[in-house]
Amino acid sequence: MKILSLNVGLPREVDWHGQAVTTGIFKDPVSGRVRLRTLNFDGDRQADLTVHGGPHKAVYAYPSEHYAYWKKELGTPELPYGAFGENLTTEGILENDLHVGDRLSIGSAELVVTQPRLPCYKLGIRFGSAEMVKRFFLAAKTGFYFSVAREGEIGAGDEIKIVARDPKAVPLPEIFRLYRVKAFSPGDVASLNKLLRVPSLPASWGDYFRARLAESAATA
């Protein structure tokens, strides 16, 4: 498991359906080692901090293995690393391999898995099509966000090591599935109660699922 590409970018203003929108989704690969700090890499920023960035979304990673699918799906032979706004393009590690709370060592930094990605309209801006948001959501190839447990330097080629796993671990695809499901089964409720006990789960996800559980109980 390793980093194939490290990608950063500063917010820029673009025209989207006749309106000026500021976005940080455009990332370009950089060479050498880059300092990772608590909220982002040097040279990288997020535009709308109400939905992007912050301690639970300090770093976004996307598996290189998904690129073949998207090249075929989008009908394009060229799709540069960083195209999905990811800071880290990975090799050898997929969503199924990770759980909220997993602690990873990359370079001299240590990161904690926090959540899968839910796409917003700015992914549509990146690909020039609002339909891309729905396609990304349905494909369930989410990538994963990290918080920073220890600052350090990371570069392309660095090995990814899973150094600790939360004993209450819930796989990332299960979290995404629970987000998408329209009605909870008894098994789903058990999974959610387990998930809500994971300390690394961001408060926003906890609030969302607690509200869903309350609604489910009220209509049962």
Side-chain angles (χ1 to χ4, degrees):
M1 301 183 295
K2 67 179 182 179
I3 303 301
L4 287 188
S5 180
L6 193 152
N7 319 293
V8 300
L10 297 175
R12 66 176 72 170
E13 188 174 279
V14 298
D15 179 79
W16 183 241
H17 297 317
Q19 292 188 335
V21 177
T22 302
T23 176
I25 198 169
F26 293 91
K27 311 289 186 189
D28 295 308
V30 293
S31 59
R33 309 193 64 72
V34 182
R35 184 75 180 178
L36 173 61
R37 304 186 189 276
T38 302
L39 296 179
N40 42 41
F41 282 99
D42 285 354
D44 190 69
R45 294 291 185 275
Q46 299 85 20
D48 184 356
L49 295 177
T50 63
V51 290
H52 300 292
H56 296 296
K57 293 182 179 179
V59 177
Y60 177 53
Y62 201 67
S64 62
E65 289 82 356
H66 295 337
Y67 270 75
Y69 168 87
W70 286 114
K71 286 178 181 178
K72 182 177 180 180
E73 179 74 9
L74 299 173
T76 176
E78 299 296 330
L79 198 57
Y81 290 148
F84 294 91
E86 77 269 20
N87 300 114
L88 302 175
T89 312
T90 63
E91 180 182 73
I93 189 166
L94 299 173
E95 292 86 352
N96 286 329
D97 302 315
L98 293 173
H99 311 69
V100 170
D102 285 356
R103 193 172 287 252
L104 279 63
S105 172
I106 308 176
S108 60
E110 199 166 280
L111 293 78
V112 178
V113 179
T114 58
Q115 59 195 292
R117 178 193 192 171
L118 299 178
C120 77
Y121 77 98
K122 290 184 177 178
L123 185 66
I125 293 176
R126 172 62 183 81
F127 285 90
S129 169
E131 186 70 14
M132 185 62 186
V133 178
K134 180 180 179 181
R135 293 170 78 172
F136 188 91
F137 188 81
L138 293 176
K141 299 179 185 300
T142 64
F144 26 91
Y145 281 107
F146 297 105
S147 62
V148 179
R150 184 180 69 233
E151 296 185 356
E153 292 187 346
I154 295 177
D158 281 353
E159 184 181 0
I160 302 170
K161 300 176 183 178
I162 299 176
V163 297
R165 175 153 286 166
D166 193 303
K168 304 180 184 69
V170 176
L172 285 179
E174 175 68 358
I175 298 170
F176 190 66
R177 185 191 70 79
L178 289 168
Y179 180 86
R180 297 201 302 177
V181 71
K182 296 185 182 300
F184 294 141
S185 69
D188 292 338
V189 172
S191 290
L192 281 169
N193 286 326
K194 179 181 179 182
L195 174 62
L196 291 171
R197 293 193 293 269
V198 177
S200 301
L201 183 73
S204 59
W205 283 82
D207 292 344
Y208 170 79
F209 282 128
R210 287 187 187 92
R212 287 283 311 277
L213 282 172
E215 291 173 6
S216 180
T219 57

